[in-house]
């Protein structure tokens, strides 16, 4: 193995690899949790696309679900999760995560996360689908506080190297070894240095995917710009199974504003008394859809809003919490209040215009309770995975919890079995001898826009087989176009993301076509009933 910095060339002109004990791809809650646990004994490289804070964690407004109240129980939290997940959850996983939630909160407190308190106890709020108050939060900006605490700890740790500005292209497997192997063993990742335009090979004994979801496959999404399904697509191309990709969660309440896109109005606004109003009739409408009203699970609320918008020809519905005391609203939702005030909306006195938007990828790379994927040497945690926790619909505030639990689980398994991890063999450097710089960047922009539009129109909140087949037809044509482009031009971040976006779209559509029922987030007019037995949709490369 040649050991050198990614910016140096070998004698043959190819870019050489950089070796670490473990590589973590992603600098959000799952990735940094894994890195901090691994760094107790190992040298860890954390790779991030863009900045270290550009992932989904920093955007999370709501909080972290944990049983901390005397009147609550693990069984209650398990039941709520299973009900929201429409029975598709794996109970073993649900129990595994929920029972570890209090420990995760304790660990975050140790790292200095300033959770809201109520006297001597942590303040607990309630969100849709929860039977009890169990959401630990930092005002309405929990994700940012968690991200800051984890990043501060990682920056201070001598065994952790943080490497932002790297767009990962493909996992390095046995077929990239200088002495070819078809083992499927993962040895690291090829990554583009976004500043220099050069591709580096980073190798390690183990690799942890913590790359987030694929929300940007849709035209309207609350996900950050980089949520293009990178880890899911890379794992699939390397040979890992993916599961339940049809289960894309749409958040019911994204701010409707033509100038400011993708601003989420947290679930907790409804949890603290917010009401959904039809702006034309002036009346609450959730009673027509579910007895739990605004506290019904997200899939039900999103479909209800979608139905009202289509039935009455609306652009949006209203979310109104102005009947609550102004100090209460400002105190609970300072970030949202200030943001809306800057847009001319006073949520203490006016309703908020909202529409549904894609919010969370409930499916992903298949993992076990140790975070292991199908591929030796590859682990995964967080939104890029299908762990069995969320089932057919994620319960509010279970997402950050999953990141902490599985980030630590993957790290603990790697540490416990470290003696069995072989050192990485020599791998081939990235070969760009037969490509040129692109002179057709407009192709990338056009294809990106097209994918997001047909996914929104054909594979959205309500689906039909015909719409799905139309989407699949477009995907097949775009695969040929993008593969040809990828084969002729040097990679850029936009091209890498486009390739992964299309692969993610393909996996979503293929999964949706296989599910001949409506369950949770997958609602199709051709199969409106749920089958008696719930089954995962598992795709095999």
């Amino acid at each position: 193995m040649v050991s050198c910095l990614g910016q140096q060339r070998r004698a043959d002109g190819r870019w050489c690899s950089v070796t670490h004990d473990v590589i973590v791809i992603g600098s959000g809650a799952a990735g940094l949790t894994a890195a901090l646990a691994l760094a107790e004994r190992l040298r860890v490289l954390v790779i991030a696309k863009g900045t270290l804070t550009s992932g989904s964690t920093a955007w999370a407004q709501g909080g972290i679900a944990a049983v901390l109240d005397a009147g609550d129980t693990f069984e209650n939290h398990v039941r709520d999760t299973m009900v929201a997940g429409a029975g598709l959850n794996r109970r073993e996983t649900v129990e595994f995560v929920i029972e570890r939630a209090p420990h995760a909160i304790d660990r975050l407190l140790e790292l200095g996360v300033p959770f809201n308190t109520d006297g001597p106890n942590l303040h607990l709020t309630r969100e849709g689908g929860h039977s009890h108050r169990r959401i630990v939060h930092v005002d309405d900006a929990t994700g940012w506080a968690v991200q800051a605490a984890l990043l501060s700890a990682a920056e201070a740790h001598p065994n952790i190297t943080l490497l932002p500005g790297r767009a990962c292209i493909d996992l390095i497997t046995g077929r990239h070894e200088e002495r070819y192997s078809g083992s499927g063993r993962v040895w690291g990742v090829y990554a583009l240095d976004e500043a220099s335009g050069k591709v580096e090979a980073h190798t390690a004994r183990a690799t942890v995917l913590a790359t987030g979801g694929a929300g940007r496959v849709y035209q309207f999404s609350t996900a950050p710009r980089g949520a293009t399904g990178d880890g899911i697509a890379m794992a699939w191309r390397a040979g890992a199974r993916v599961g339940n990709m049809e289960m894309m969660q749409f958040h019911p309440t994204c701010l409707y504003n033509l100038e400011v896109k993708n601003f989420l109005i947290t679930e907790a606004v409804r949890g603290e008394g917010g009401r959904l109003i039809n702006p034309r009739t002036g009346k609450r409408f959730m009673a027509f859809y579910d007895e739990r009203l605004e506290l019904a699970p997200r899939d039900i609320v999103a479909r209800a809003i979608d139905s009202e918008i289509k039935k009455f020809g609306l652009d949006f519905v209203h979310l109104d919490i102005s009947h609550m005391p102004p100090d209460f609203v400002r105190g609970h939702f300072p970030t949202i209040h200030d943001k809306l005030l800057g847009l001319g909306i006073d949520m203490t006195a006016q309703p908020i215009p909202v529409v549904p938007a894609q919010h969370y990828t409930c499916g992903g790379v298949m993992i076990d309770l140790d975070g292991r994927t199908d591929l030796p040497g590859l682990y995964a945690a967080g939104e890029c995975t299908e762990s069995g926790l969320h089932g057919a619909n994620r319960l509010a505030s279970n997402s950050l919890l999953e990141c902490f639990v599985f980030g630590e689980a993957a790290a603990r398994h790697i540490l416990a079995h470290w003696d069995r991890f072989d050192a990485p063999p020599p791998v081939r450097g990235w070969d760009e001898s037969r490509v040129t710089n692109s002179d057709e960047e407009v192709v990338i922009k056009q294809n990106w826009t097209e994918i997001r539009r047909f996914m929104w129109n054909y594979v959205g909140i309500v689906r039909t087989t015909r719409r799905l087949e139309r989407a699949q037809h477009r995907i097949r044509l775009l695969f040929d176009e993008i593969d040809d482009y990828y084969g002729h031009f040097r990679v850029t971040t936009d091209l890498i993301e486009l390739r992964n976006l299309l692969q993610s779209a393909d996996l979503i559509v293929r999964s949706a076509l296989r599910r001949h029922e409506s369950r949770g987030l997958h609602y199709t007019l051709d199969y409106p009933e749920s089958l008696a037995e719930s089954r995962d949709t598992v795709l095999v490369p």
Side-chain angles (χ1 to χ4, degrees):
M1 168 62 64
V2 180
S3 179
C4 64
L5 294 176
Q7 295 302 309
Q8 296 177 332
R9 287 184 184 270
R10 301 194 312 188
D12 62 6
R14 293 184 177 182
W15 296 93
C16 69
S17 61
V18 184
T19 305
H20 311 272
D21 289 334
V22 182
I23 294 171
V24 175
I25 307 174
S27 59
L32 293 179
T33 297
L36 288 167
L38 288 162
E40 294 175 6
R41 284 171 39 199
L42 305 175
R43 292 174 297 120
V44 184
L45 174 70
V46 177
I47 297 177
K49 182 171 66 174
T51 68
L52 294 168
T53 58
S54 60
S56 295
T57 296
W59 291 50
Q61 292 177 345
I64 306 161
V67 174
L68 299 172
D69 185 70
D72 200 4
T73 64
F74 287 148
E75 183 56 38
N76 288 335
H77 193 175
V78 169
R79 183 179 60 253
D80 292 345
T81 301
M82 299 285 288
V83 168
L88 198 63
N89 328 64
R90 290 195 286 281
R91 187 178 181 92
E92 180 186 21
T93 303
V94 176
E95 292 175 349
F96 177 81
V97 173
I98 286 169
E99 289 171 5
R100 285 159 179 76
H103 167 74
I105 301 301
D106 287 342
R107 177 69 178 129
L108 292 170
L109 287 168
E110 290 173 8
L111 291 173
V113 176
F115 290 120
N116 288 40
T117 56
D118 185 4
N121 302 315
L122 294 175
H123 180 268
L124 304 176
T125 189
R126 185 180 172 191
E127 295 180 346
H130 287 275
S131 59
H132 291 74
R133 286 182 171 269
R134 62 168 71 101
I135 315 301
V136 181
H137 63 105
V138 182
D139 294 330
D140 56 351
T142 307
W144 184 257
V146 168
Q147 177 78 48
L150 290 170
L151 191 54
S152 176
E155 288 172 336
H157 205 296
N159 280 348
I160 296 177
T161 300
L162 299 170
L163 190 63
R166 299 308 193 271
C168 292
I169 306 167
D170 270 316
L171 295 170
I172 297 172
T173 66
R175 62 196 172 112
H176 299 109
E177 295 177 24
E178 289 188 354
R179 182 178 179 177
Y180 179 88
S181 166
S183 66
R185 176 66 158 85
V186 172
W187 297 113
V189 68
Y190 291 111
L192 172 70
D193 180 338
E194 295 175 315
S196 70
K198 302 303 180 183
V199 176
E200 306 161 349
H202 297 278
T203 58
R205 297 186 182 210
T207 302
V208 181
L209 279 179
T211 51
R216 282 294 173 155
V217 77
Y218 285 96
Q219 184 176 6
F220 300 106
S221 173
T222 64
R225 167 66 173 73
T228 49
D230 301 336
I232 297 169
M234 288 193 299
W236 171 260
R237 288 194 294 266
R241 293 173 302 156
V242 300
N244 296 339
M245 283 296 290
E246 72 274 30
M247 300 303 177
M248 297 296 286
Q249 186 178 77
F250 290 80
H251 196 286
T253 54
C254 183
L255 174 68
Y256 178 82
N257 185 290
L258 298 180
E259 302 299 322
V260 180
K261 297 181 179 179
N262 309 322
F263 185 70
L264 172 68
I265 307 299
T266 176
E267 191 98 359
V269 172
R270 298 201 314 281
E272 294 297 340
R275 300 167 179 170
L276 287 166
I277 308 290
N278 183 314
R280 183 163 299 171
T281 65
K283 296 179 180 179
R284 293 173 75 175
F285 57 82
M286 279 306 301
F288 298 110
Y289 299 94
D290 194 281
E291 62 184 9
R292 290 166 289 187
L293 305 178
E294 284 83 5
L295 290 178
R298 287 175 174 175
D299 59 322
I300 294 171
V301 178
R303 280 201 299 275
I305 295 173
D306 184 67
S307 174
E308 289 291 302
I309 286 173
K310 289 175 178 174
K311 187 186 303 181
F312 289 88
L314 308 171
D315 290 323
F316 53 83
V317 299
H318 278 150
L319 176 60
D320 191 4
I321 196 170
S322 63
H323 55 281
M324 301 296 285
D327 287 345
F328 175 89
V329 175
R330 284 190 291 264
H332 278 71
F333 309 108
T335 306
I336 297 173
H337 176 265
D338 291 348
K339 178 73 172 182
L340 294 177
L341 211 55
L343 299 172
I345 301 170
D346 182 357
M347 67 185 291
T348 68
Q350 300 169 258
I352 308 165
V354 295
V355 291
Q358 190 284 337
H359 184 56
Y360 196 84
T361 307
C362 288
V365 183
M366 301 287 290
I367 61 170
D368 64 12
L369 294 183
D370 295 313
R372 290 182 294 178
T373 71
D374 298 323
L375 305 178
L378 181 67
Y379 294 73
E383 192 178 355
C384 67
T385 69
E386 164 50 44
S387 68
L389 174 63
H390 305 306
N393 184 17
R394 176 179 70 92
L395 182 66
S397 291
N398 271 354
S399 51
L400 284 176
L401 175 59
E402 181 185 36
C403 291
F404 305 132
V405 172
F406 276 100
E408 185 163 309
R412 294 303 171 202
H413 190 271
I414 292 170
L415 290 169
H417 299 84
W418 184 244
D419 292 342
R420 303 180 191 176
F421 287 85
D422 295 330
V427 302
R428 295 191 299 277
W430 187 257
D431 185 4
E432 56 181 33
S433 60
R434 293 168 292 177
V435 296
T436 61
N437 291 324
S438 171
D439 58 357
E440 296 181 311
E441 289 292 320
V442 67
V443 173
I444 294 178
K445 184 176 181 180
Q446 167 62 30
N447 288 346
W448 178 291
T449 301
E450 183 176 353
I451 292 168
R452 297 183 71 204
R453 264 193 198 141
F454 71 64
M455 287 298 290
W456 181 261
N457 291 329
Y458 295 157
V459 199
I461 297 172
V462 178
R463 302 163 179 174
T464 68
T465 300
R466 180 168 290 183
R467 289 179 204 162
L468 293 172
E469 288 173 343
R470 284 175 179 156
Q472 189 174 58
H473 176 67
R474 288 301 306 140
I475 288 169
R476 286 170 179 162
L477 295 175
L478 285 170
F479 263 127
D480 291 339
E481 208 171 289
I482 293 171
D483 283 347
D484 179 71
Y485 191 100
Y486 182 78
H488 285 85
F489 300 114
R490 287 190 175 89
V491 293
T492 63
T493 299
D494 285 345
L495 177 55
I496 292 166
E497 290 184 328
L498 175 64
R499 185 171 173 241
N500 293 333
L501 204 73
L502 182 63
Q503 184 63 77
S504 298
D506 177 58
L507 295 171
I508 294 166
V509 172
R510 288 169 62 181
S511 297
L513 282 167
R514 285 197 182 193
R515 186 170 290 280
H516 293 172
E517 65 166 347
S518 289
R519 184 180 296 275
L521 299 165
H522 176 72
Y523 185 80
T524 170
L525 296 176
D526 293 308
Y527 302 97
E529 303 300 322
S530 296
L531 297 176
E533 182 181 356
S534 62
R535 292 184 179 178
D536 292 323
T537 303
V538 180
L539 300 181
V540 181

